[in-house]
Amino acid sequence: MQTENTKLVAKPTTTALERLNVKQEAFCQEMAMGAKRDEAYVAAGYGAKNVKTAVARLLKQTKITARIAQLEASGFGSLSPIQLIRRLGRVADQAEALGSAAALAVARAALMDIARVNGLTRAEEGQLGSTMTVVLADRPLSEDEWESLHPPLG
């Protein structure tokens, strides 16, 4: 017996979007964040062989393209400055752990990007070309102070 206040709720059904495996979901997320197709494929954990063919096969699947569209519509690819800083920090940490000269260059670039996002750098033009100068604050800002100065993008 139902009363006027009782609502019938449909039981959730499994959709094509819910049947993605871990690599497919990672690929969709990478694509939604703006990665190139080949880069998104490799970053998702797939092998580096026959990438173009495999990517084309993935993108023919409706569940893949629908998930990418869903993520893009939800603003998934839009990172707040804090999220961007955390991601760049992880990149720097992973690169430093590798220790090679190339990896250390990646770590340095990621750390400079963190400084740029925080507004701690100043571009200067000179006779020898462009340089980036780090401007140090008198003290680190708390996360709340930083967010009040830099609201989320989008």
Side-chain angles (χ1 to χ4, degrees):
M1 181 173 171
Q2 291 183 342
T3 65
E4 289 180 30
N5 294 334
T6 305
K7 293 182 182 178
L8 295 176
V9 178
K11 196 174 187 182
T13 58
T14 303
T15 67
L17 295 178
E18 294 170 350
R19 290 192 297 260
L20 296 178
N21 65 39
V22 173
K23 288 182 182 179
Q24 290 170 331
E25 177 64 21
F27 174 77
C28 293
Q29 290 180 11
E30 291 291 331
M31 290 291 294
M33 288 188 291
K36 294 179 182 173
R37 293 173 177 192
D38 297 359
E39 293 169 358
Y41 185 80
V42 174
Y46 290 103
K49 284 187 174 182
N50 304 316
V51 173
K52 291 197 184 304
T53 305
V55 167
R57 200 174 326 120
L58 259 181
L59 290 172
K60 285 182 182 176
Q61 297 179 44
T62 306
K63 66 182 181 179
I64 299 294
T65 55
R67 179 63 175 149
I68 293 168
Q70 181 187 46
L71 288 167
E72 289 173 342
S74 72
F76 177 81
S78 303
L79 296 175
S80 72
I82 297 245
Q83 291 169 317
L84 178 60
I85 289 168
R86 287 181 182 145
R87 181 171 288 181
L88 287 168
R90 285 193 301 270
V91 168
D93 290 343
Q94 291 170 355
E96 284 177 347
L98 294 174
S100 70
L104 292 175
V106 168
R108 181 187 180 283
L111 293 171
M112 287 304 294
D113 287 342
I114 290 171
R116 234 176 260 118
V117 170
N118 277 305
L120 299 176
T121 59
R122 176 178 65 238
E124 297 175 355
E125 294 293 328
Q127 291 180 337
L128 300 175
S130 301
T131 60
M132 197 63 71
T133 303
V134 176
V135 181
L136 300 176
D138 59 342
R139 66 176 175 77
L141 297 177
S142 71
E143 192 169 310
D144 290 337
E145 289 173 314
W146 196 92
E147 284 181 340
S148 71
L149 293 172
H150 305 283
L153 303 174

